[in-house]
Amino acid sequence: MSWTERYETIAFNRQGRIITATLNLPDTLNAVNARLHSELSRVFVDLNDDPQSDVVVLTGAGRAFCAGGDIGWMQDAIDAPALFETTAYEAKRIVFSQLDLEKPLICRMNGHAIGLGATVALGCDVVIADERAKIGDPHVAVGLVAGDGGAVLWPQLIGLLRAKEYLLTGDLIPAPEAARMGLINRAVAPERLDAEVAALAERLASGARKAIRWTKVVSNLALKQVAHAVMDPSIAYESLSNLSQDHREAVAAFREKRAPKFTGD
């Protein structure tokens, strides 16, 4: 059995030395449930070890790249808080293993990238987005700390003040604006997305493999230092916020299709 066959929520396709990993829950806009979260915590290790590829493209099936955390999964962690211990462990593995991936990683951001979806997108080396997409980390909108990577990546990409504005409000950013501020690389017309991604992937795949890989490795060193300093306290605070009344209220409001009424508890 190929390692790719062990995955249920991520699909894989190969073209030469390029492998595409697709978040494959289109009916829920690739919202992260327990299974996808677990598989995300392993996939970058498997991609790194895959002997048949030199370049990785990461994308989403359907209309979205990733809509963030699945509300039903959030409710499970409210009802049984011990479940969040597994989530916390996996969240660190996702960030660390993605930054440890030595192969060039291109995000084909085919639609909205929200919450953890934004973290995974921004953990890539190059982000090319459909100009109609939006990106944002609205953890606070569901009463959670942006602990699964937002506090690591956003300040490094767009500066502390601007990053805090978006992390504290949870506002979504249209892809063209995100490109102008340096959060992503570029936003392109939807009919150009595949060609732009393919051209870059093929250029990297035909380049000097060791030089490209090791340039990525040294470029990520400072970011990895930040990640190792920040992820443990970030996840700890997010775990605390999972127990808050505001988080419980936000999840209930989402399921009842109403605005949440936060009390600060």
Side-chain angles (χ1 to χ4, degrees), residues 9-13 18-24 30 36 39-40 43-44 47 55-61 64-66 94 98 101 103-111 113 116-129 193-194 197 201:
T9 62
I10 304 175
F12 301 90
N13 180 61
I18 300 166
I19 185 169
T20 297
T22 302
L23 309 183
N24 196 29
N30 303 313
L36 179 53
E39 293 188 352
L40 282 170
V43 69
F44 298 111
L47 288 166
V55 176
V56 181
V57 175
L58 182 65
T59 192
F65 176 75
C66 176
I94 292 169
Q98 188 173 9
L101 173 63
K103 299 172 185 178
L105 177 59
I106 303 168
C107 176
R108 176 187 175 272
M109 203 179 100
N110 57 297
L116 179 57
T119 293
V120 172
L122 298 179
C124 295
D125 303 307
V126 178
V127 183
I128 303 174
L193 183 61
D194 286 338
V197 171

Side-chain angles (χ1 to χ4, degrees), residues 36-245:
L36 179 53
H37 201 258
S38 175
E39 293 188 352
L40 282 170
S41 76
R42 305 193 310 271
V43 69
F44 298 111
V45 175
D46 285 335
L47 288 166
N48 198 55
D49 293 342
D50 178 48
Q52 301 176 46
S53 61
D54 296 315
V55 176
V56 181
V57 175
L58 182 65
T59 192
R63 296 186 293 116
F65 176 75
C66 176
D70 178 80
I71 290 294
W73 182 45
M74 292 185 195
Q75 186 65 58
D76 290 343
I78 290 172
D79 297 337
L83 294 175
F84 207 87
E85 294 179 16
T86 299
T87 302
Y89 170 72
E90 291 174 350
K92 290 190 292 183
R93 285 193 63 185
I94 292 169
V95 171
F96 296 152
S97 64
Q98 188 173 9
L99 295 180
D100 283 338
L101 173 63
E102 293 190 0
K103 299 172 185 178
L105 177 59
I106 303 168
C107 176
R108 176 187 175 272
M109 203 179 100
N110 57 297
H112 288 8
I114 310 298
L116 179 57
T119 293
V120 172
L122 298 179
C124 295
D125 303 307
V126 178
V127 183
I128 303 174
D130 183 322
E131 64 186 5
R132 301 169 299 180
K134 294 182 180 181
I135 187 169
D137 194 335
H139 272 70
V140 295
V142 291
L144 287 175
V145 170
D148 59 10
V152 173
L153 295 169
W154 286 67
Q156 303 303 308
L157 295 169
I158 57 174
L160 185 58
L161 290 178
R162 182 175 280 173
K164 284 192 289 188
E165 176 183 354
Y166 286 105
L167 292 175
L168 297 180
T169 62
D171 288 346
L172 304 185
I173 308 169
E177 183 180 347
R180 283 193 293 270
M181 68 174 63
L183 186 65
I184 66 173
N185 293 80
R186 55 186 180 269
V188 301
E191 64 270 17
R192 290 291 306 157
L193 183 61
D194 286 338
E196 295 264 352
V197 171
L200 178 58
E202 290 165 7
R203 179 178 179 182
L204 294 174
S206 63
R209 181 181 66 186
K210 290 182 179 179
I212 290 171
R213 283 191 180 193
W214 294 339
T215 295
K216 169 180 175 170
V217 169
V218 296
S219 296
N220 267 1
L221 287 177
L223 184 55
K224 287 166 68 173
Q225 289 178 330
V226 174
H228 281 274
V230 173
M231 281 302 296
D232 275 321
S234 292
I235 290 296
Y237 275 114
E238 186 172 358
S239 298
L240 285 175
S241 65
N242 179 63
L243 303 175
S244 69
Q245 179 57 40

